[in-house]
Amino acid sequence: EKGTYPHYMLKEIDEQPLVVRRIIQEYQNEAGELEINADILEAMNEADRIYIIAAGTSYHAGLVGKHFIEKMAQIPVEVHVSSEFGYNMPLLSEKPLFIFITQSGETADSRAVLVHIKELGYNALTITNVAGSTLSREADYTLLLHAGPEIAVASTKAYTAQMAVLAILADVTARSKGLMQNLDLVKELGIVANGMEVLCDAKEEMEEIAWQYLTTTRNAFFIGRGLDYFVGLEGSLKLKEISYIQAEGFAGGELKHGTIALIEDGTPVIALATQEHVNLSIRGNVKEVAARGANPCIISMKGLEADDDRYVIPVVNELLSPLVSVIPLQLISYYAALHRDCDVDKPRNLAKSVTVE
Ligand code: M6R
């Protein structure tokens, strides 16, 4: 139940620190080390390439998951939108492992791919929030998100839970391969949970940002580079699905290849700056859009901030920044929808789980 909350979405946003802490506990052994079922580890270790299959927000979590698995466990990963996989099927490697990411475990587009790859004789791991769901039952292995029921159509806590579980999967696989990891994931996820709490307490600031940038606009852009680009994609999906503002997320470097033509006086451009190696270039992009009249809103991470940043999130490990930097975008979307009198939990034309192809 939503208790004192006006909407499930706001409740679910607020649950995120708790969910991350619960995930750590669920995947910790008695010695306090992160652990993954031995069969899953074996499948990860045998794979010469991983194919992540997902839709919507889960696809966006997959993009970040690819980064985790490649950086930590050094296994090549491809991420595919499930509805396209059938038509644009890649040449498969010799020993592929399929990972299905799905909050509900019922998404028909993803299930169609699962059925197909099982016919081909390949192994599948489903990462889902719903034990006993169709995609969990039909896959060889399951990892649970432990996020608790997600009721709002707009996915929030499932997205951060998916990234946390993918980070754990990548970390444990890497260690089992003897790859040295220079991050203590339990500690870093603890810092993430604390950072999330700070952001959940920043609702008034987020409401103000929504008010200032998004109350009357027809469109909005999200830009970022590296991991921030993926979070921007998720931010734009959140905004469009609940506030009906036409929103687009794209890589900062792509601006000059077309999208900059859309910038007009007052166009809101939300830029993420949480990655040190691209901090200067994303700020360069902000200058380019500002020079054409855009209304830029920079959300940066402490240590990388500049004077005119609109909000500065607490420091977390750069690799894990998407788990924290998405929260302002979730809250901004929530308040934008609220100000525009939209039905936040049940946006028009959408269902919580999409059980038709
Ligand atoms: O249950 P799933 O994770 O498979 O659902 C996938 C998408 O339908 C879902 O993430 C959708 O994009 C959300 N409404 C986004 O907030």
Side-chain angles (χ1 to χ4, degrees):
E1 284 317 302
K2 57 182 189 233
T4 55
Y5 284 95
H7 298 98
Y8 281 107
M9 184 182 176
L10 197 60
K11 171 174 176 271
E12 290 161 6
I13 290 173
D14 263 3
E15 282 171 354
Q16 292 177 107
L18 180 124
V19 170
V20 167
R21 293 198 179 99
R22 190 190 300 144
I23 289 171
I24 301 171
Q25 284 176 339
E26 292 286 344
Y27 285 96
Q28 226 172 13
N29 62 20
E30 275 169 15
E33 292 154 352
L34 293 169
E35 204 173 64
I36 293 276
N37 166 293
D39 293 339
I40 298 177
L41 259 193
E42 202 182 313
M44 289 289 287
N45 281 318
E46 274 173 8
D48 63 355
R49 185 173 284 259
I50 289 170
Y51 297 82
I52 292 181
I53 313 288
T57 288
S58 298
Y59 171 73
H60 295 154
L63 296 172
V64 176
K66 167 187 160 81
H67 196 87
F68 290 165
I69 296 171
E70 290 191 338
K71 280 266 158 3
M72 297 194 222
Q74 293 180 15
I75 307 169
V77 183
E78 292 180 21
V79 194
H80 293 270
V81 167
S82 44
S83 62
E84 277 296 307
F85 191 82
Y87 325 120
N88 290 322
M89 186 148 162
L91 259 187
L92 297 180
S93 65
E94 253 174 61
K95 294 179 190 159
L97 172 67
F98 285 81
I99 300 183
F100 291 84
I101 307 179
T102 168
Q103 188 285 131
S104 63
E106 303 297 340
T107 299
D109 290 325
S110 302
R111 182 175 177 238
V113 181
L114 175 58
V115 169
H116 183 57
I117 64 105
K118 287 311 296 171
E119 279 165 6
L120 297 174
Y122 297 124
N123 275 348
L125 158 66
T126 291
I127 300 181
T128 183
N129 202 23
V130 184
S133 58
T134 307
L135 273 111
S136 166
R137 281 185 280 112
E138 293 179 354
D140 303 84
Y141 322 103
T142 296
L143 287 176
L144 289 176
L145 297 177
H146 301 288
E150 192 182 63
I151 311 289
V153 165
S155 183
T156 53
K157 63 177 177 173
Y159 172 71
T160 41
Q162 286 161 344
M163 295 189 293
V165 170
L166 284 159
I168 292 173
L169 178 64
D171 181 75
V172 176
T173 305
R175 286 174 201 281
S176 78
K177 288 180 146 187
L179 295 168
M180 284 294 292
Q181 296 300 299
N182 54 11
L183 104 175
D184 174 348
L185 193 58
V186 172
K187 184 178 136 220
E188 298 298 343
L189 283 174
I191 297 172
V192 161
N194 294 341
M196 286 173 147
E197 250 157 29
V198 173
L199 286 165
C200 290
D201 286 341
K203 292 193 183 65
E204 270 173 34
E205 285 104 311
M206 296 307 146
E207 180 161 15
E208 233 170 70
I209 294 177
W211 190 257
Q212 179 185 344
Y213 290 85
L214 301 169
T215 307
T216 55
T217 191
R218 270 190 309 129
N219 54 11
F221 297 108
F222 292 79
I223 60 171
R225 288 175 181 249
L227 288 172
D228 288 339
Y229 163 42
F230 302 145
V231 181
L233 292 177
E234 173 58 11
S236 76
L237 174 59
K238 241 23 5 132
L239 188 65
K240 66 184 119 181
E241 81 176 317
I242 60 169
S243 76
Y244 317 140
I245 296 169
Q246 185 171 15
E248 192 185 348
F250 55 95
E254 278 290 289
L255 265 172
K256 57 186 175 300
H257 299 290
T259 318
I260 202 160
L262 291 171
I263 302 292
E264 294 174 344
D265 251 357
T267 306
V269 176
I270 297 169
L272 287 175
T274 75
Q275 306 288 305
E276 190 175 6
H277 63 296
V278 291
N279 197 24
L280 284 181
S281 21
I282 195 67
R283 288 175 186 284
N285 294 139
V286 170
K287 287 207 182 86
E288 287 157 18
V289 290
R292 286 156 182 91
N295 194 10
C297 170
I298 304 177
I299 297 177
S300 61
M301 188 159 79
K302 185 113 195 83
L304 301 176
E305 76 271 33
D307 282 348
D308 46 4
D309 293 358
R310 192 63 177 73
Y311 192 81
V312 182
I313 67 170
V315 189
V316 295
N317 187 293
E318 256 191 38
L319 198 61
L320 301 174
S321 67
L323 284 96
V324 180
S325 62
V326 75
I327 296 185
L329 307 190
Q330 295 169 341
L331 283 168
I332 291 168
S333 300
Y334 172 80
Y335 288 112
L338 213 60
H339 294 156
R340 294 166 81 109
D341 267 339
C342 301
D343 187 346
V344 173
D345 282 339
K346 285 200 178 70
R348 67 187 182 205
N349 309 342
L350 286 169
K352 179 63 184 163
S353 50
V354 184
T355 52
V356 288
E357 277 180 59

mmCIF file with all atom_site columns, all heavy atoms in Angstrom, residues 205-223:
data_model
loop_
_atom_site.group_PDB
_atom_site.id
_atom_site.type_symbol
_atom_site.label_atom_id
_atom_site.label_alt_id
_atom_site.label_comp_id
_atom_site.label_asym_id
_atom_site.label_entity_id
_atom_site.label_seq_id
_atom_site.pdbx_PDB_ins_code
_atom_site.Cartn_x
_atom_site.Cartn_y
_atom_site.Cartn_z
_atom_site.occupancy
_atom_site.B_iso_or_equiv
_atom_site.pdbx_formal_charge
_atom_site.auth_seq_id
_atom_site.auth_comp_id
_atom_site.auth_asym_id
_atom_site.auth_atom_id
_atom_site.pdbx_PDB_model_num
ATOM 1   N N   . GLU A 1 205 ? 14.009 20.798 -3.733  1.00 0.00 ? 205 GLU A N   1
ATOM 2   C CA  . GLU A 1 205 ? 14.877 21.316 -4.807  1.00 0.00 ? 205 GLU A CA  1
ATOM 3   C C   . GLU A 1 205 ? 14.469 20.734 -6.152  1.00 0.00 ? 205 GLU A C   1
ATOM 4   O O   . GLU A 1 205 ? 14.451 21.418 -7.168  1.00 0.00 ? 205 GLU A O   1
ATOM 5   C CB  . GLU A 1 205 ? 16.344 20.945 -4.560  1.00 0.00 ? 205 GLU A CB  1
ATOM 6   C CG  . GLU A 1 205 ? 17.017 21.765 -3.480  1.00 0.00 ? 205 GLU A CG  1
ATOM 7   C CD  . GLU A 1 205 ? 17.172 20.982 -2.200  1.00 0.00 ? 205 GLU A CD  1
ATOM 8   O OE1 . GLU A 1 205 ? 16.157 20.375 -1.758  1.00 0.00 ? 205 GLU A OE1 1
ATOM 9   O OE2 . GLU A 1 205 ? 18.277 20.961 -1.642  1.00 0.00 ? 205 GLU A OE2 1
ATOM 10  N N   . MET A 1 206 ? 14.120 19.439 -6.155  1.00 0.00 ? 206 MET A N   1
ATOM 11  C CA  . MET A 1 206 ? 13.764 18.789 -7.425  1.00 0.00 ? 206 MET A CA  1
ATOM 12  C C   . MET A 1 206 ? 12.445 19.343 -7.950  1.00 0.00 ? 206 MET A C   1
ATOM 13  O O   . MET A 1 206 ? 12.265 19.535 -9.152  1.00 0.00 ? 206 MET A O   1
ATOM 14  C CB  . MET A 1 206 ? 13.665 17.265 -7.247  1.00 0.00 ? 206 MET A CB  1
ATOM 15  C CG  . MET A 1 206 ? 14.973 16.617 -6.862  1.00 0.00 ? 206 MET A CG  1
ATOM 16  S SD  . MET A 1 206 ? 16.288 17.062 -8.017  1.00 0.00 ? 206 MET A SD  1
ATOM 17  C CE  . MET A 1 206 ? 17.679 17.101 -6.916  1.00 0.00 ? 206 MET A CE  1
ATOM 18  N N   . GLU A 1 207 ? 11.533 19.611 -7.027  1.00 0.00 ? 207 GLU A N   1
ATOM 19  C CA  . GLU A 1 207 ? 10.248 20.183 -7.443  1.00 0.00 ? 207 GLU A CA  1
ATOM 20  C C   . GLU A 1 207 ? 10.479 21.574 -8.056  1.00 0.00 ? 207 GLU A C   1
ATOM 21  O O   . GLU A 1 207 ? 9.876  21.932 -9.074  1.00 0.00 ? 207 GLU A O   1
ATOM 22  C CB  . GLU A 1 207 ? 9.274  20.263 -6.262  1.00 0.00 ? 207 GLU A CB  1
ATOM 23  C CG  . GLU A 1 207 ? 7.946  20.847 -6.690  1.00 0.00 ? 207 GLU A CG  1
ATOM 24  C CD  . GLU A 1 207 ? 6.789  20.557 -5.749  1.00 0.00 ? 207 GLU A CD  1
ATOM 25  O OE1 . GLU A 1 207 ? 7.039  20.139 -4.608  1.00 0.00 ? 207 GLU A OE1 1
ATOM 26  O OE2 . GLU A 1 207 ? 5.643  20.762 -6.191  1.00 0.00 ? 207 GLU A OE2 1
ATOM 27  N N   . GLU A 1 208 ? 11.387 22.311 -7.441  1.00 0.00 ? 208 GLU A N   1
ATOM 28  C CA  . GLU A 1 208 ? 11.712 23.644 -7.965  1.00 0.00 ? 208 GLU A CA  1
ATOM 29  C C   . GLU A 1 208 ? 12.299 23.549 -9.373  1.00 0.00 ? 208 GLU A C   1
ATOM 30  O O   . GLU A 1 208 ? 11.956 24.330 -10.259 1.00 0.00 ? 208 GLU A O   1
ATOM 31  C CB  . GLU A 1 208 ? 12.764 24.267 -7.060  1.00 0.00 ? 208 GLU A CB  1
ATOM 32  C CG  . GLU A 1 208 ? 12.429 25.627 -6.536  1.00 0.00 ? 208 GLU A CG  1
ATOM 33  C CD  . GLU A 1 208 ? 13.449 26.008 -5.476  1.00 0.00 ? 208 GLU A CD  1
ATOM 34  O OE1 . GLU A 1 208 ? 14.607 26.245 -5.845  1.00 0.00 ? 208 GLU A OE1 1
ATOM 35  O OE2 . GLU A 1 208 ? 13.062 26.018 -4.282  1.00 0.00 ? 208 GLU A OE2 1
ATOM 36  N N   . ILE A 1 209 ? 13.187 22.586 -9.566  1.00 0.00 ? 209 ILE A N   1
ATOM 37  C CA  . ILE A 1 209 ? 13.799 22.405 -10.899 1.00 0.00 ? 209 ILE A CA  1
ATOM 38  C C   . ILE A 1 209 ? 12.700 22.065 -11.916 1.00 0.00 ? 209 ILE A C   1
ATOM 39  O O   . ILE A 1 209 ? 12.640 22.638 -13.005 1.00 0.00 ? 209 ILE A O   1
ATOM 40  C CB  . ILE A 1 209 ? 14.889 21.301 -10.878 1.00 0.00 ? 209 ILE A CB  1
ATOM 41  C CG1 . ILE A 1 209 ? 16.071 21.742 -10.002 1.00 0.00 ? 209 ILE A CG1 1
ATOM 42  C CG2 . ILE A 1 209 ? 15.366 20.972 -12.297 1.00 0.00 ? 209 ILE A CG2 1
ATOM 43  C CD1 . ILE A 1 209 ? 17.166 20.701 -9.842  1.00 0.00 ? 209 ILE A CD1 1
ATOM 44  N N   . ALA A 1 210 ? 11.820 21.156 -11.536 1.00 0.00 ? 210 ALA A N   1
ATOM 45  C CA  . ALA A 1 210 ? 10.730 20.772 -12.442 1.00 0.00 ? 210 ALA A CA  1
ATOM 46  C C   . ALA A 1 210 ? 9.895  21.993 -12.792 1.00 0.00 ? 210 ALA A C   1
ATOM 47  O O   . ALA A 1 210 ? 9.513  22.214 -13.942 1.00 0.00 ? 210 ALA A O   1
ATOM 48  C CB  . ALA A 1 210 ? 9.867  19.693 -11.795 1.00 0.00 ? 210 ALA A CB  1
ATOM 49  N N   . TRP A 1 211 ? 9.626  22.786 -11.777 1.00 0.00 ? 211 TRP A N   1
ATOM 50  C CA  . TRP A 1 211 ? 8.806  23.991 -11.961 1.00 0.00 ? 211 TRP A CA  1
ATOM 51  C C   . TRP A 1 211 ? 9.501  24.968 -12.912 1.00 0.00 ? 211 TRP A C   1
ATOM 52  O O   . TRP A 1 211 ? 8.923  25.457 -13.877 1.00 0.00 ? 211 TRP A O   1
ATOM 53  C CB  . TRP A 1 211 ? 8.572  24.630 -10.582 1.00 0.00 ? 211 TRP A CB  1
ATOM 54  C CG  . TRP A 1 211 ? 7.559  25.717 -10.624 1.00 0.00 ? 211 TRP A CG  1
ATOM 55  C CD1 . TRP A 1 211 ? 7.806  27.047 -10.605 1.00 0.00 ? 211 TRP A CD1 1
ATOM 56  C CD2 . TRP A 1 211 ? 6.148  25.548 -10.706 1.00 0.00 ? 211 TRP A CD2 1
ATOM 57  N NE1 . TRP A 1 211 ? 6.631  27.735 -10.666 1.00 0.00 ? 211 TRP A NE1 1
ATOM 58  C CE2 . TRP A 1 211 ? 5.587  26.849 -10.725 1.00 0.00 ? 211 TRP A CE2 1
ATOM 59  C CE3 . TRP A 1 211 ? 5.292  24.443 -10.760 1.00 0.00 ? 211 TRP A CE3 1
ATOM 60  C CZ2 . TRP A 1 211 ? 4.212  27.064 -10.811 1.00 0.00 ? 211 TRP A CZ2 1
ATOM 61  C CZ3 . TRP A 1 211 ? 3.926  24.664 -10.846 1.00 0.00 ? 211 TRP A CZ3 1
ATOM 62  C CH2 . TRP A 1 211 ? 3.395  25.959 -10.868 1.00 0.00 ? 211 TRP A CH2 1
ATOM 63  N N   . GLN A 1 212 ? 10.786 25.183 -12.644 1.00 0.00 ? 212 GLN A N   1
ATOM 64  C CA  . GLN A 1 212 ? 11.547 26.166 -13.406 1.00 0.00 ? 212 GLN A CA  1
ATOM 65  C C   . GLN A 1 212 ? 11.742 25.761 -14.877 1.00 0.00 ? 212 GLN A C   1
ATOM 66  O O   . GLN A 1 212 ? 11.671 26.585 -15.765 1.00 0.00 ? 212 GLN A O   1
ATOM 67  C CB  . GLN A 1 212 ? 12.907 26.346 -12.726 1.00 0.00 ? 212 GLN A CB  1
ATOM 68  C CG  . GLN A 1 212 ? 13.829 27.327 -13.414 1.00 0.00 ? 212 GLN A CG  1
ATOM 69  C CD  . GLN A 1 212 ? 15.213 27.344 -12.745 1.00 0.00 ? 212 GLN A CD  1
ATOM 70  O OE1 . GLN A 1 212 ? 15.388 26.871 -11.622 1.00 0.00 ? 212 GLN A OE1 1
ATOM 71  N NE2 . GLN A 1 212 ? 16.193 27.884 -13.451 1.00 0.00 ? 212 GLN A NE2 1
ATOM 72  N N   . TYR A 1 213 ? 11.969 24.481 -15.105 1.00 0.00 ? 213 TYR A N   1
ATOM 73  C CA  . TYR A 1 213 ? 12.360 24.073 -16.464 1.00 0.00 ? 213 TYR A CA  1
ATOM 74  C C   . TYR A 1 213 ? 11.243 23.413 -17.280 1.00 0.00 ? 213 TYR A C   1
ATOM 75  O O   . TYR A 1 213 ? 11.294 23.411 -18.501 1.00 0.00 ? 213 TYR A O   1
ATOM 76  C CB  . TYR A 1 213 ? 13.528 23.076 -16.403 1.00 0.00 ? 213 TYR A CB  1
ATOM 77  C CG  . TYR A 1 213 ? 14.835 23.692 -15.973 1.00 0.00 ? 213 TYR A CG  1
ATOM 78  C CD1 . TYR A 1 213 ? 15.149 23.829 -14.629 1.00 0.00 ? 213 TYR A CD1 1
ATOM 79  C CD2 . TYR A 1 213 ? 15.748 24.157 -16.920 1.00 0.00 ? 213 TYR A CD2 1
ATOM 80  C CE1 . TYR A 1 213 ? 16.347 24.392 -14.222 1.00 0.00 ? 213 TYR A CE1 1
ATOM 81  C CE2 . TYR A 1 213 ? 16.949 24.726 -16.526 1.00 0.00 ? 213 TYR A CE2 1
ATOM 82  C CZ  . TYR A 1 213 ? 17.245 24.841 -15.172 1.00 0.00 ? 213 TYR A CZ  1
ATOM 83  O OH  . TYR A 1 213 ? 18.424 25.405 -14.781 1.00 0.00 ? 213 TYR A OH  1
ATOM 84  N N   . LEU A 1 214 ? 10.289 22.783 -16.597 1.00 0.00 ? 214 LEU A N   1
ATOM 85  C CA  . LEU A 1 214 ? 9.445  21.842 -17.347 1.00 0.00 ? 214 LEU A CA  1
ATOM 86  C C   . LEU A 1 214 ? 7.942  22.122 -17.296 1.00 0.00 ? 214 LEU A C   1
ATOM 87  O O   . LEU A 1 214 ? 7.160  21.362 -17.866 1.00 0.00 ? 214 LEU A O   1
ATOM 88  C CB  . LEU A 1 214 ? 9.702  20.405 -16.849 1.00 0.00 ? 214 LEU A CB  1
ATOM 89  C CG  . LEU A 1 214 ? 11.160 19.926 -16.990 1.00 0.00 ? 214 LEU A CG  1
ATOM 90  C CD1 . LEU A 1 214 ? 11.362 18.627 -16.233 1.00 0.00 ? 214 LEU A CD1 1
ATOM 91  C CD2 . LEU A 1 214 ? 11.525 19.746 -18.458 1.00 0.00 ? 214 LEU A CD2 1
ATOM 92  N N   . THR A 1 215 ? 7.542  23.192 -16.639 1.00 0.00 ? 215 THR A N   1
ATOM 93  C CA  . THR A 1 215 ? 6.094  23.380 -16.459 1.00 0.00 ? 215 THR A CA  1
ATOM 94  C C   . THR A 1 215 ? 5.372  23.675 -17.772 1.00 0.00 ? 215 THR A C   1
ATOM 95  O O   . THR A 1 215 ? 4.288  23.172 -18.014 1.00 0.00 ? 215 THR A O   1
ATOM 96  C CB  . THR A 1 215 ? 5.822  24.514 -15.453 1.00 0.00 ? 215 THR A CB  1
ATOM 97  O OG1 . THR A 1 215 ? 6.574  24.200 -14.295 1.00 0.00 ? 215 THR A OG1 1
ATOM 98  C CG2 . THR A 1 215 ? 4.365  24.571 -15.052 1.00 0.00 ? 215 THR A CG2 1
ATOM 99  N N   . THR A 1 216 ? 5.988  24.480 -18.616 1.00 0.00 ? 216 THR A N   1
ATOM 100 C CA  . THR A 1 216 ? 5.255  24.855 -19.833 1.00 0.00 ? 216 THR A CA  1
ATOM 101 C C   . THR A 1 216 ? 5.924  24.359 -21.114 1.00 0.00 ? 216 THR A C   1
ATOM 102 O O   . THR A 1 216 ? 5.387  24.547 -22.196 1.00 0.00 ? 216 THR A O   1
ATOM 103 C CB  . THR A 1 216 ? 5.138  26.394 -19.932 1.00 0.00 ? 216 THR A CB  1
ATOM 104 O OG1 . THR A 1 216 ? 6.462  26.927 -19.857 1.00 0.00 ? 216 THR A OG1 1
ATOM 105 C CG2 . THR A 1 216 ? 4.281  26.947 -18.812 1.00 0.00 ? 216 THR A CG2 1
ATOM 106 N N   . THR A 1 217 ? 7.067  23.730 -20.996 1.00 0.00 ? 217 THR A N   1
ATOM 107 C CA  . THR A 1 217 ? 7.819  23.398 -22.209 1.00 0.00 ? 217 THR A CA  1
ATOM 108 C C   . THR A 1 217 ? 7.138  22.305 -23.048 1.00 0.00 ? 217 THR A C   1
ATOM 109 O O   . THR A 1 217 ? 6.404  21.472 -22.524 1.00 0.00 ? 217 THR A O   1
ATOM 110 C CB  . THR A 1 217 ? 9.259  22.960 -21.851 1.00 0.00 ? 217 THR A CB  1
ATOM 111 O OG1 . THR A 1 217 ? 10.016 22.894 -23.049 1.00 0.00 ? 217 THR A OG1 1
ATOM 112 C CG2 . THR A 1 217 ? 9.274  21.608 -21.145 1.00 0.00 ? 217 THR A CG2 1
ATOM 113 N N   . ARG A 1 218 ? 7.403  22.331 -24.349 1.00 0.00 ? 218 ARG A N   1
ATOM 114 C CA  . ARG A 1 218 ? 6.892  21.275 -25.231 1.00 0.00 ? 218 ARG A CA  1
ATOM 115 C C   . ARG A 1 218 ? 7.859  20.103 -25.272 1.00 0.00 ? 218 ARG A C   1
ATOM 116 O O   . ARG A 1 218 ? 7.499  18.972 -25.511 1.00 0.00 ? 218 ARG A O   1
ATOM 117 C CB  . ARG A 1 218 ? 6.748  21.821 -26.658 1.00 0.00 ? 218 ARG A CB  1
ATOM 118 C CG  . ARG A 1 218 ? 5.401  22.426 -26.956 1.00 0.00 ? 218 ARG A CG  1
ATOM 119 C CD  . ARG A 1 218 ? 5.252  22.705 -28.437 1.00 0.00 ? 218 ARG A CD  1
ATOM 120 N NE  . ARG A 1 218 ? 6.391  23.454 -28.965 1.00 0.00 ? 218 ARG A NE  1
ATOM 121 C CZ  . ARG A 1 218 ? 7.090  23.093 -30.036 1.00 0.00 ? 218 ARG A CZ  1
ATOM 122 N NH1 . ARG A 1 218 ? 6.784  22.014 -30.694 1.00 0.00 ? 218 ARG A NH1 1
ATOM 123 N NH2 . ARG A 1 218 ? 8.110  23.833 -30.451 1.00 0.00 ? 218 ARG A NH2 1
ATOM 124 N N   . ASN A 1 219 ? 9.161  20.426 -25.119 1.00 0.00 ? 219 ASN A N   1
ATOM 125 C CA  . ASN A 1 219 ? 10.159 19.358 -25.232 1.00 0.00 ? 219 ASN A CA  1
ATOM 126 C C   . ASN A 1 219 ? 11.315 19.575 -24.259 1.00 0.00 ? 219 ASN A C   1
ATOM 127 O O   . ASN A 1 219 ? 11.427 20.631 -23.638 1.00 0.00 ? 219 ASN A O   1
ATOM 128 C CB  . ASN A 1 219 ? 10.667 19.239 -26.675 1.00 0.00 ? 219 ASN A CB  1
ATOM 129 C CG  . ASN A 1 219 ? 11.192 20.564 -27.192 1.00 0.00 ? 219 ASN A CG  1
ATOM 130 O OD1 . ASN A 1 219 ? 11.358 21.514 -26.424 1.00 0.00 ? 219 ASN A OD1 1
ATOM 131 N ND2 . ASN A 1 219 ? 11.457 20.638 -28.476 1.00 0.00 ? 219 ASN A ND2 1
ATOM 132 N N   . ALA A 1 220 ? 12.133 18.556 -24.131 1.00 0.00 ? 220 ALA A N   1
ATOM 133 C CA  . ALA A 1 220 ? 13.283 18.645 -23.220 1.00 0.00 ? 220 ALA A CA  1
ATOM 134 C C   . ALA A 1 220 ? 14.347 17.671 -23.688 1.00 0.00 ? 220 ALA A C   1
ATOM 135 O O   . ALA A 1 220 ? 14.032 16.628 -24.284 1.00 0.00 ? 220 ALA A O   1
ATOM 136 C CB  . ALA A 1 220 ? 12.858 18.304 -21.796 1.00 0.00 ? 220 ALA A CB  1
ATOM 137 N N   . PHE A 1 221 ? 15.598 18.034 -23.430 1.00 0.00 ? 221 PHE A N   1
ATOM 138 C CA  . PHE A 1 221 ? 16.698 17.146 -23.819 1.00 0.00 ? 221 PHE A CA  1
ATOM 139 C C   . PHE A 1 221 ? 17.541 16.755 -22.616 1.00 0.00 ? 221 PHE A C   1
ATOM 140 O O   . PHE A 1 221 ? 17.684 17.546 -21.674 1.00 0.00 ? 221 PHE A O   1
ATOM 141 C CB  . PHE A 1 221 ? 17.575 17.825 -24.874 1.00 0.00 ? 221 PHE A CB  1
ATOM 142 C CG  . PHE A 1 221 ? 16.815 18.100 -26.136 1.00 0.00 ? 221 PHE A CG  1
ATOM 143 C CD1 . PHE A 1 221 ? 16.460 19.394 -26.478 1.00 0.00 ? 221 PHE A CD1 1
ATOM 144 C CD2 . PHE A 1 221 ? 16.411 17.067 -26.954 1.00 0.00 ? 221 PHE A CD2 1
ATOM 145 C CE1 . PHE A 1 221 ? 15.714 19.642 -27.620 1.00 0.00 ? 221 PHE A CE1 1
ATOM 146 C CE2 . PHE A 1 221 ? 15.666 17.304 -28.095 1.00 0.00 ? 221 PHE A CE2 1
ATOM 147 C CZ  . PHE A 1 221 ? 15.320 18.599 -28.430 1.00 0.00 ? 221 PHE A CZ  1
ATOM 148 N N   . PHE A 1 222 ? 18.069 15.553 -22.688 1.00 0.00 ? 222 PHE A N   1
ATOM 149 C CA  . PHE A 1 222 ? 18.988 15.068 -21.659 1.00 0.00 ? 222 PHE A CA  1
ATOM 150 C C   . PHE A 1 222 ? 20.293 14.727 -22.356 1.00 0.00 ? 222 PHE A C   1
ATOM 151 O O   . PHE A 1 222 ? 20.285 13.966 -23.336 1.00 0.00 ? 222 PHE A O   1
ATOM 152 C CB  . PHE A 1 222 ? 18.434 13.786 -21.007 1.00 0.00 ? 222 PHE A CB  1
ATOM 153 C CG  . PHE A 1 222 ? 17.198 14.022 -20.184 1.00 0.00 ? 222 PHE A CG  1
ATOM 154 C CD1 . PHE A 1 222 ? 15.959 14.157 -20.784 1.00 0.00 ? 222 PHE A CD1 1
ATOM 155 C CD2 . PHE A 1 222 ? 17.278 14.098 -18.798 1.00 0.00 ? 222 PHE A CD2 1
ATOM 156 C CE1 . PHE A 1 222 ? 14.813 14.370 -20.037 1.00 0.00 ? 222 PHE A CE1 1
ATOM 157 C CE2 . PHE A 1 222 ? 16.141 14.317 -18.029 1.00 0.00 ? 222 PHE A CE2 1
ATOM 158 C CZ  . PHE A 1 222 ? 14.905 14.456 -18.645 1.00 0.00 ? 222 PHE A CZ  1
ATOM 159 N N   . ILE A 1 223 ? 21.381 15.284 -21.863 1.00 0.00 ? 223 ILE A N   1
ATOM 160 C CA  . ILE A 1 223 ? 22.656 14.920 -22.476 1.00 0.00 ? 223 ILE A CA  1
ATOM 161 C C   . ILE A 1 223 ? 23.644 14.413 -21.431 1.00 0.00 ? 223 ILE A C   1
ATOM 162 O O   . ILE A 1 223 ? 23.576 14.761 -20.248 1.00 0.00 ? 223 ILE A O   1
ATOM 163 C CB  . ILE A 1 223 ? 23.286 16.082 -23.294 1.00 0.00 ? 223 ILE A CB  1
ATOM 164 C CG1 . ILE A 1 223 ? 23.553 17.308 -22.401 1.00 0.00 ? 223 ILE A CG1 1
ATOM 165 C CG2 . ILE A 1 223 ? 22.411 16.466 -24.469 1.00 0.00 ? 223 ILE A CG2 1
ATOM 166 C CD1 . ILE A 1 223 ? 24.365 18.398 -23.114 1.00 0.00 ? 223 ILE A CD1 1
#
